[in-house]
Amino acid sequence: MKNSKELRRWLDDFNLAHPLVIAGPCSAETEEQVLKIAHELKDSDVSIYRAGIWKPRTRPGGFEGVGAIGLKWLQKAKAETGLLMATEVANAAHVQLALEHDIDVLWIGARTTVNPFAVQEIADALKNTDKIVLVKNPVNPDLALWLGGVERLYNAGIKKLGVIHRGFSTYEKTKYRNIPEWQLAIELQNRFPDLPLICDPSHITGKREMIQEVSQQALDLNYDGLIIETHTDPDNAWSDAAQQVTPTRLKQIFEDLRVRKETEEASDYNQKLNRLRVDIDEYDAKIIEILGKRMVVADKIGALKKEKNVAVLQNKRWNEILGKMILEGEEKGLSEEFILRIFKAIHQESISHQEKIING
Ligand code: PEP
Ligand code: MN
């Protein structure tokens, strides 16, 4: 697949003065719910209505979607509101049904993008249709796998393509449901600047309070659109209740978002700056995380020292650490003075922790 303007032609056809907005419930639940939400979103910035019909669930027993009946509700919503309809497909049978029901946009979910067999099956079923197809990132942070999915569709003659950044699974506890790893999406943007890039702050954050912040970050990084889960009664949604917003809240989010309209030169500068700031923010977050982990280990050492009744400060070991760090710092262009200052501060914090453990 080559980067070319052809990739974003479908997006330009929307002729929007703002990023593309896709909104709608995580899942279609009832005909009434699908229609109600669609009507509330009709006269807003929303161009495409989303609703999951087949829901991939982590564990069995959860709500697995209403199935094909929901496609009829989407058809009705389209007839009544004029919004384009989008749903998730995970196999050839889903594609067939979606095509039969005139669904306009199909997205491939994160759990499907990880599986090249499934993506190929979907690509074959869609061969040479003119549907818009959006590929969500795989659950694991693997850019080649993500791009590979897009390429399978491209090679099947699908030319209206885009990608959705919905974040990545991690074992670590973080403030996100799926960590964004922005630099991965930025790398994709660098390689395919014309491939429409849409952010899914709902699945990245997992909580409605953070949707605004992450949407703004995406716009600052020049994303082409946002997909935001929206429900008239979020708390009682059958899936992903915590991350859905009401149509009223969605409108407010869009009023508050700063959409930059800039000269090309200014936007190039801002984009570069924003990308670099993302890197700095991620490194800073990692520094804090590592310092926290280091302190947990220092606490364990404190507990051991207490048990054996030994002194907190062990000068020989400390001087060894310092000597080693000064040498390693030098290799990375960091001055001796800086290393001394930073490690003295870290060491002091460890000593305070251990003293509290031993005396407390
Ligand atoms: C969804 O969009 O409702 C969904 C299931 O998303 P993901 O594939 O990103 O988990
Ligand atoms: Mn969802």
Side-chain angles (χ1 to χ4, degrees), residues 179-190:
I179 49 170
E181 303 280 15
W182 294 104
Q183 69 291 355
L184 208 122
I186 289 170
E187 170 70 23
L188 184 142
Q189 221 178 12
N190 280 336

Side-chain angles (χ1 to χ4, degrees), residues 294-295 298 305 312-314 318 344-359:
R294 190 189 190 282
M295 222 44 77
K305 284 178 180 170
V312 164
L313 187 65
Q314 285 167 326
W318 165 235
K344 271 187 189 157
I346 294 172
H347 189 231
Q348 187 50 56
E349 182 72 6
S350 292
I351 287 177
S352 313
H353 269 240
Q354 294 188 353
E355 273 170 350
K356 256 189 229 142
I357 289 171
I358 289 181
N359 302 323

Side-chain angles (χ1 to χ4, degrees), residues 47-105:
S47 303
I48 301 175
Y49 187 70
R50 64 147 288 155
I53 300 294
W54 299 286
K55 302 301 298 176
R57 303 318 298 267
T58 304
R59 299 184 60 204
F63 170 58
E64 294 189 328
V66 292
I69 180 81
L71 296 168
K72 296 215 181 336
W73 308 340
L74 291 184
Q75 267 187 309
K76 200 162 173 191
K78 178 164 150 176
E80 290 184 12
T81 64
L83 290 166
L84 296 186
M85 294 293 134
T87 201
E88 172 172 347
V89 290
N91 58 40
H94 293 166
V95 170
Q96 209 45 53
L97 283 161
L99 293 178
E100 282 166 20
H101 290 81
D102 240 356
I103 299 297
D104 308 281
V105 180

